[in-house]
Amino acid sequence: MVKFFAESKCNAKEFDGTLRFLRGSYPKSVNYAMFNLISSHDKPRFLTLCYGDVRKMKLAVVFLMTYVGAPVIYYGDEIGMEGLGDPDCRRPFIWDEDRQDRALLKFYRQMIKLRRENPVLKRGNFYPLYTYDNVYCYARNSAENMIVVVLNNSNKDEVVRLNIDKLRSRKGNIKDLVDGNSFAIDRGILELKIPDYGYRVLSL
């Protein structure tokens, strides 16, 4: 995740290839219990690796909360703590709310709530749908529902077109689970304009 989201040292296709390799290296039961995190006690904090760019941090958190496995939050990431390698990454927790990134904390809480309320994000199948340059799109689905995630890990707006008729049988608009916006389907095609370092988490 560091190479793709923080350092931009690989594109979406390469990132997806790494994920495929890792999933293929373990039984499904292990993948679904995998301990996933973006910061830890012996590595530079993720926000520091992003050079303080909270947009990149949020994009990685969206992925963390919608991917296969068990998402883990290293203390302080949720309030924007930074730190270089060990021991700098183990700074004392910042209890002073005036020094915390409260907007980032609110975002973390929103993404945690989204995962809790959608079991498909915990136990659903994982399907890559679209990789182009730095845009990565994938689905989590079960017998009950499907969620499609679109991530734009670039500094420019991107347009993504998805053939929705191939993904679902029911009709009607599609809703974003993060901001509540709805999107109409035009002749089976969903066209999305994703801003730089933007994302969509769509309920189909």
Side-chain angles (χ1 to χ4, degrees):
M1 284 195 283
V2 169
K3 284 188 176 181
F4 182 59
F5 292 109
E7 300 175 342
S8 299
K9 289 184 177 179
C10 68
N11 59 31
K13 185 176 182 179
E14 293 167 331
F15 180 55
D16 180 60
T18 299
L19 295 175
R20 286 175 186 266
F21 173 78
L22 291 173
R23 290 195 307 274
S25 299
Y26 304 98
K28 184 176 181 179
S29 59
V30 173
N31 283 317
Y32 279 66
M34 194 68 72
F35 193 82
N36 296 334
L37 69 172
I38 59 176
S39 295
S40 74
H41 65 282
D42 57 0
K43 297 290 184 181
R45 284 188 178 268
F46 197 82
L47 187 57
T48 298
L49 294 173
C50 294
Y51 294 97
D53 193 333
V54 177
R55 299 172 304 167
K56 291 185 176 184
M57 178 86 167
K58 286 184 175 181
L59 207 61
V61 172
V62 172
F63 176 76
L64 181 69
M65 294 296 173
T66 58
Y67 188 59
V68 172
V72 177
I73 301 170
Y74 183 52
Y75 82 94
D77 274 4
E78 74 280 9
I79 59 167
M81 285 183 62
E82 295 196 48
L84 297 170
D86 189 13
D88 191 47
C89 56
R90 305 190 195 203
R91 299 176 191 175
F93 186 81
I94 299 173
W95 294 104
D96 183 355
E97 292 188 2
D98 291 336
R99 296 171 54 209
Q100 297 177 356
D101 187 333
R102 303 298 291 180
L104 182 59
L105 176 60
K106 181 180 179 180
F107 174 77
Y108 262 89
R109 287 172 171 166
Q110 183 181 21
M111 293 307 302
I112 292 169
K113 183 173 183 287
L114 186 150
R115 185 177 178 89
R116 283 179 174 172
E117 293 178 348
N118 293 276
V120 67
L121 295 177
K122 302 176 185 178
R123 297 181 289 273
N125 297 312
F126 178 89
Y127 295 105
L129 296 176
Y130 180 91
T131 58
Y132 176 76
D133 198 8
N134 287 309
V135 177
Y136 190 41
C137 176
Y138 53 91
R140 302 295 308 276
N141 84 308
S142 64
E144 292 76 29
N145 61 348
M146 174 181 285
I147 288 177
V148 170
V149 181
V150 186
L151 307 173
N152 178 15
N153 187 40
S154 73
N155 58 4
K156 60 181 180 179
D157 295 353
E158 295 284 358
V159 175
V160 176
R161 295 177 179 86
L162 298 174
N163 190 330
I164 297 301
D165 285 349
K166 289 186 177 181
L167 298 177
R168 68 171 190 176
S169 56
R170 69 179 182 85
K171 303 298 181 181
N173 289 353
I174 290 176
K175 181 180 179 181
D176 189 301
L177 295 175
V178 179
D179 62 17
N181 286 337
S182 294
F183 301 90
I185 309 302
D186 183 11
R187 287 170 288 187
I189 301 298
L190 172 64
E191 182 172 299
L192 298 168
K193 184 177 181 181
I194 312 295
D196 56 320
Y197 301 110
Y199 52 86
R200 288 290 179 190
V201 182
L202 306 169
S203 175
L204 272 62

